[in-house]
Amino acid sequence: LSLMELRLVIEPQAAALAAIRANDKNLVQIRNNFKEMLPKSLTSTPTMLNSEADINFHKSILKACGNLFLSQFGSAIQGALHHTIYKSNQIHVDPLFSHECHRKVFVAIEGRNPEGAYSAMCGVLNNAISDLKLKVSGVILADFSEKVQVDA
């Protein structure tokens, strides 16, 4: 729970900053990690996302935000990040829905839409919290889903 609260505080803002500050190299890295999240298999429907690519997606956004301390956050807690993302990917009933939520984050960042990136990252984290059946106070998570629509 403590790690998810920390992620709720940091990752939506990092996504918003990445939408403002990411350079072309950052965008390519985020895009590549996003594309690698769906396993390349012969089956038509994946059963879970590629956890390593998912972790790298989040870390690449932290790096792209242009803040030294935030960019080091992903590496500093990589083990814990791996645990929550891996568990969420194992539990998630619909990996394609999760992938779509991550796509909204990428599209907002690429489209230089900080509010949309913030809102979309809140959605990704809300899904993980729901999947893990955690109870997090809404005081921490500013939910802009009613106010900001991410067009993609």
Side-chain angles (χ1 to χ4, degrees), residues 59-110:
K59 286 174 62 178
S60 63
I61 291 170
L62 289 164
K63 182 177 179 184
C65 80
N67 179 294
L68 176 64
F69 297 105
L70 289 177
S71 66
Q72 292 175 351
F73 173 74
S75 297
I77 63 155
Q78 183 164 349
L81 195 61
H82 183 273
H83 177 73
T84 58
I85 289 174
Y86 182 75
K87 287 297 266 183
S88 179
N89 284 343
Q90 280 187 316
I91 295 168
H92 203 287
V93 179
D94 186 359
L96 294 177
F97 177 75
S98 179
H99 192 255
E100 174 61 17
C101 291
H102 284 78
R103 185 190 69 78
K104 289 178 180 179
V105 174
F106 171 67
V107 167
I109 291 171
E110 187 178 50

Side-chain angles (χ1 to χ4, degrees), residues 14-126:
L17 289 170
I20 296 166
R21 299 177 178 169
N23 60 34
D24 291 342
K25 183 178 176 183
N26 297 139
L27 292 174
V28 167
Q29 189 64 53
I30 296 168
R31 180 184 303 111
N32 289 342
N33 289 320
F34 168 73
K35 287 181 179 179
E36 291 174 13
M37 287 173 61
L38 281 179
K40 296 174 185 147
S41 67
L42 298 176
T43 62
S44 59
T45 305
T47 57
M48 67 183 272
L49 296 180
N50 176 337
S51 293
E52 290 303 317
D54 195 348
I55 291 164
N56 290 334
F57 176 81
H58 288 268
K59 286 174 62 178
S60 63
I61 291 170
L62 289 164
K63 182 177 179 184
C65 80
N67 179 294
L68 176 64
F69 297 105
L70 289 177
S71 66
Q72 292 175 351
F73 173 74
S75 297
I77 63 155
Q78 183 164 349
L81 195 61
H82 183 273
H83 177 73
T84 58
I85 289 174
Y86 182 75
K87 287 297 266 183
S88 179
N89 284 343
Q90 280 187 316
I91 295 168
H92 203 287
V93 179
D94 186 359
L96 294 177
F97 177 75
S98 179
H99 192 255
E100 174 61 17
C101 291
H102 284 78
R103 185 190 69 78
K104 289 178 180 179
V105 174
F106 171 67
V107 167
I109 291 171
E110 187 178 50
R112 305 299 184 184
N113 178 351
E115 293 88 359
Y118 186 103
S119 180
M121 185 59 81
C122 286
V124 166
L125 296 173
N126 268 329

